[in-house]
Amino acid sequence: LAGCLIASLLGAPLAAPTVFRSPMAAMIGVMLGSGYGPQLLGYVVNWWATIAGLLAFMLVAGAVCVAYFRCVARYDFPTAYFAGMPGGVVEMVLLGENSGADLRRVALVHAARIVFTVFSIPFIVQWVEGGQIVRSATSSISLLDMRADSLLWLLVTFSGGLVLGRLVNLPARYLLGPLILSVIVHISGISTFKPPWELVALAQLVLGSVIGCRFAGSRTVDILQIFLASLGSCFLMILLSCAFAFGVSHLTEYTLTELLLAYSPGGLAEM
């Protein structure tokens, strides 16, 4: 995304590889769905207070940031909505592409928000509690190490999800169809497969390039204005994250550090 953005500003003749966008979005959907499992219901019962806090945070943060982009940055409502919601770059762009939103603004706002969050949260945690953040062990699997049954279910959720999205006519069907089918397979305990890191990385590479190419023809001053607007919304989100984490930490046994990382408006992998 950053590479294509810079190349676009330098006037390079870029064209997005849209033919690959749909299958790569489907792979992201399968990956998101694989994060669930049969134990989810037990988690919901035990974590009801923190989940309630998360839902409240999402509603408040979404409302505040949408209002910020609408009233301060003067974005039209579809653009303000998808730029202000606390979601991932790829997910928000895919969901907003049929709404009339300015996807260049949406993409850069979320990309900048994740960068700001990743750089600021470690310092906030260490300042508040003196905690140290260390890299956790990865749970990713290679394509070469996947079992035959896992490969089969990967293919079923991938292709079946594309069919499901088309039949039901879902919004962002290439993302939501595979995501829904993957959730069903994982939460029912039919399979616990994880998409191989090679395919997930390829999907992110392609989708990042597609999003970055949308900036072709943009002026540097326009990019800087979007960047500054994103800085303001990120400050609001992090402030709300700290407030909600502080409040919920006094109602549950979980520490401020755990809740701050859980509520921070960064990406799943980064947090």
Side-chain angles (χ1 to χ4, degrees):
L1 192 159
C4 289
L5 167 60
I6 294 171
S8 297
L9 294 176
L10 293 176
L14 297 180
T18 53
V19 67
F20 300 114
R21 184 177 60 84
S22 299
M24 297 301 101
M27 183 57 61
I28 295 295
V30 172
M31 179 201 70
L32 293 174
S34 69
Y36 295 87
Q39 69 276 21
L40 178 64
L41 184 59
Y43 288 156
V44 171
V45 172
N46 295 328
W47 296 347
W48 67 268
T50 57
I51 292 175
L54 175 63
L55 293 175
F57 163 73
M58 290 173 61
L59 290 173
V60 173
V64 168
C65 289
V66 171
Y68 165 81
F69 283 117
R70 189 77 180 93
C71 301
V72 178
R74 300 293 182 181
Y75 290 178
D76 59 86
F77 182 75
T79 302
Y81 180 83
F82 287 101
M85 285 297 162
V89 183
V90 171
E91 291 83 354
M92 289 298 101
V93 170
L94 291 175
L95 290 172
E97 63 183 349
N98 295 322
S99 67
D102 185 338
L103 298 184
R104 294 180 301 175
R105 288 180 173 177
V106 173
L108 190 55
V109 162
H110 285 292
R113 187 203 75 223
I114 291 175
V115 170
F116 290 144
T117 302
V118 169
F119 273 101
S120 61
I121 288 299
F123 295 103
I124 294 175
V125 169
Q126 292 180 23
W127 175 64
V128 170
E129 289 200 348
Q132 295 293 323
I133 298 178
V134 296
R135 186 175 181 85
S136 61
T138 178
S139 60
S140 60
I141 186 172
S142 171
L143 182 62
L144 300 177
D145 297 327
M146 289 191 72
R147 303 195 313 266
D149 62 321
S150 295
L151 284 170
L152 175 62
W153 281 112
L154 172 64
L155 180 61
V156 167
T157 52
F158 179 86
S159 56
L162 289 173
V163 174
L164 174 65
R166 181 176 291 274
L167 288 177
V168 184
N169 196 27
L170 292 168
R173 61 190 181 192
Y174 300 119
L175 175 74
L176 293 183
L179 190 157
I180 292 171
L181 194 56
S182 180
V183 168
I184 293 173
V185 168
H186 285 87
I187 205 170
S188 63
I190 297 175
S191 177
T192 59
F193 81 89
K194 301 289 183 184
W197 68 264
E198 294 95 337
L199 295 182
V200 174
L202 177 63
Q204 292 178 316
L205 175 65
V206 172
L207 292 174
S209 301
V210 170
I211 294 170
C213 287
R214 292 183 183 274
F215 292 92
S218 299
R219 299 182 304 164
T220 303
V221 64
D222 295 332
I223 302 301
L224 290 176
Q225 288 176 347
I226 298 172
F227 190 80
L228 289 175
S230 177
L231 181 60
S233 68
C234 184
F235 173 78
L236 291 173
M237 276 200 179
I238 291 179
L239 189 64
L240 288 169
S241 297
C242 293
F244 273 88
F246 181 80
V248 176
S249 69
H250 284 74
L251 300 175
T252 66
E253 70 274 20
Y254 299 104
T255 67
L256 179 59
T257 299
E258 290 173 320
L259 291 167
L260 185 58
L261 290 171
Y263 291 175
S264 292
L268 174 64
E270 292 83 358
M271 289 301 104

